[in-house]
Amino acid sequence: NNGLGLIQFYAGVSSHPSDALTFFGGLQDNGSNRRNTATQNWVQVLGGDGGWTQLDQANPLRVFVEFQGSGNLYRSTNGGGTWTNLPNRPVATLYGISAVDNMRAWAIGSAAVYRTTDGGSSWSTTFLTIPGGGRLYAIRMISATVGWVSAAGGILYKTTNGGNNWT
């Protein structure tokens, strides 16, 4: 086992849409890391207890990472070279972000959907009531108006008005 290194990723490893060697992931006790394309090694880009990550699939230079459970959300607009703390994050623990352009994105916590129209600097809650207090698992917006959220029990919610209503 000489040279064997083991790490534990939190849920929310994200991949680049066109570079199969580029990934971001949050590691327990080892920060947020990016897989280096040239060396195929993982390099820490932010310290702390890494959490969920998201590479914007429409603009892979924009990346979101969080510190696990701390309330810190960061955004990079240059592929992880530099980071900006987003102090007005929507919820303590995120489970996904789906962006449709540089300004509009939706995020999910365990039981709510949030929307930003300013690139993540501020967030508002959109309406979604989950029967029995179930949990949300994933979000995917395909335009500024149409998207889906998956929830506990195999339920899929859809919006056709930017998240104002979900059915």
Side-chain angles (χ1 to χ4, degrees):
N1 292 344
N2 187 20
L4 176 64
L6 299 176
I7 53 177
Q8 178 181 344
F9 283 97
Y10 284 108
V13 172
S14 55
S15 62
H16 193 282
S18 60
D19 180 354
L21 299 177
T22 299
F23 294 88
F24 282 82
L27 304 173
Q28 182 176 1
D29 300 326
N30 290 295
S32 296
N33 290 253
R34 174 183 56 219
R35 185 170 186 239
N36 183 300
T37 301
T39 65
Q40 298 184 19
N41 292 325
W42 290 91
V43 177
Q44 189 175 78
V45 294
L46 281 174
D49 199 7
W52 169 89
T53 69
Q54 181 65 46
L55 245 156
D56 184 339
Q57 298 298 292
N59 175 10
L61 292 176
R62 187 164 68 154
V63 184
F64 294 92
V65 300
E66 72 164 348
F67 285 3
Q68 180 66 27
S70 70
N72 292 321
L73 177 65
Y74 291 84
R75 175 187 60 215
S76 174
T77 57
N78 60 6
T82 58
W83 298 89
T84 301
N85 185 10
L86 302 174
N88 298 317
R89 74 180 285 160
V91 65
T93 301
L94 293 174
Y95 295 106
I97 290 181
S98 183
V100 296
D101 59 36
N102 286 335
M103 301 306 283
R104 293 175 293 182
W106 289 257
I108 57 168
S110 62
V113 178
Y114 306 91
R115 176 178 44 216
T116 182
T117 57
D118 60 10
S121 297
S122 63
W123 298 83
S124 61
T125 304
T126 69
F127 180 75
L128 178 57
T129 301
I130 304 168
R135 183 182 170 313
L136 300 177
Y137 291 105
I139 185 165
R140 176 68 168 117
M141 299 296 293
I142 61 168
S143 71
T145 56
V146 178
W148 294 267
V149 170
S150 65
I155 300 170
L156 189 63
Y157 293 94
K158 181 179 181 180
T159 183
T160 57
N161 59 11
N164 293 324
N165 301 99
W166 297 86
T167 55

